[in-house]
Amino acid sequence: MGLFSRKNNESAVAVADLPVDPALAALTGEYTVDPAHSSIGFTVRHAMVTNVRGTFADHEGTLRLDGTDPAASTARIDVRIASVDTGIADRDAHLRGEDFFDAERFPLMTFRSTEAAQLGGDKYRVIGDLTIKDVTRPLSIDLEFNGAATDVYGNERVGFEGSAEILRSDWGLTWNAALETGGVMVSDKVKLTFDISAIKNAG
């Protein structure tokens, strides 16, 4: 994932030429996303006038952070589509069906990171491949590193939050309905949100 890659706007600086930050080096290791303290969600405009928000309750992921060799860092997230929850059962069933995600045939939405860059301070941009149904396209996620801490159970944790905007039609999610007053029922633009807490694996 390269979350700690450093780039200069005027000229690229090789990571090997930079002094190793002990705080970042200490984060090196394998991490497992804690679904109980993480959230993956979305917001989409509905009927041209309001927003519908939802989450995917069932997800899992792993991070490999390397504070001394940022380019070696990676991220993987798998989201089970059937866990979509917007607070209305009929709408959730429609989203799971063939008009939208077709969760029976395509049960997972996946993200695999490929690169990242520092935007300044604790802000980063992570780029990777997002697969929905049978379509894989690049996704750019703006993230903020929230820090690292040891929790009350002795687990070493790291936290990130971020967002991205996509056009759902790019992934073949094109269902819509015209409104009598003009416009459409569901916006093409969707905002994805990520609030991730991950626990360092023992060993």
Side-chain angles (χ1 to χ4, degrees):
M1 182 165 55
L3 288 178
F4 307 112
S5 297
R6 295 177 173 88
K7 287 190 176 181
N8 185 293
N9 290 332
E10 297 179 356
S11 61
V13 178
V15 172
D17 295 335
L18 295 171
V20 175
D21 184 336
L24 298 185
L27 298 180
T28 297
E30 304 282 343
Y31 292 77
T32 299
V33 173
D34 178 7
H37 295 92
S38 301
S39 175
I40 297 176
F42 61 90
T43 303
V44 61
R45 183 77 71 182
H46 178 262
M48 308 296 291
V49 297
T50 190
N51 289 320
V52 168
R53 293 176 173 83
T55 60
F56 295 95
D58 189 354
H59 54 84
E60 62 181 21
T62 58
L63 310 177
R64 185 184 184 280
L65 304 184
D66 191 327
T68 60
D69 182 12
S73 299
T74 60
R76 176 190 68 83
I77 297 177
D78 293 337
V79 176
R80 192 159 295 279
I81 293 296
S83 70
V84 64
D85 182 6
T86 65
I88 298 179
D90 287 346
R91 181 165 60 204
D92 296 342
H94 191 197
L95 290 173
R96 288 190 292 267
E98 294 181 4
D99 283 343
F100 284 96
F101 290 110
D102 198 357
E104 186 172 341
R105 292 180 59 206
F106 306 100
L108 291 180
M109 173 172 61
T110 66
F111 177 76
R112 302 291 185 267
S113 67
T114 57
E115 59 181 292
Q118 187 177 29
L119 302 181
D122 289 329
K123 298 185 184 300
Y124 300 85
R125 179 165 293 151
V126 178
I127 299 170
D129 295 323
L130 176 67
T131 300
I132 303 175
K133 298 174 78 170
D134 57 349
V135 179
T136 299
R137 294 181 62 87
L139 176 68
S140 177
I141 305 173
D142 286 344
L143 284 173
E144 183 169 357
F145 175 52
N146 287 338
T150 301
D151 67 21
V152 295
Y153 302 105
N155 298 312
E156 295 181 57
R157 290 181 179 266
V158 292
F160 303 90
E161 62 179 313
S163 64
E165 286 191 352
I166 66 171
L167 297 179
R168 60 188 179 91
S169 59
D170 287 345
W171 281 265
L173 302 173
T174 57
W175 182 91
N176 228 320
L179 301 175
E180 291 184 4
T181 54
V184 292
M185 181 70 72
V186 185
S187 171
D188 191 23
K189 184 167 67 175
V190 180
K191 181 179 180 180
L192 304 177
T193 56
F194 307 87
D195 196 345
I196 302 298
S197 178
I199 297 173
K200 193 172 189 178
N201 298 346

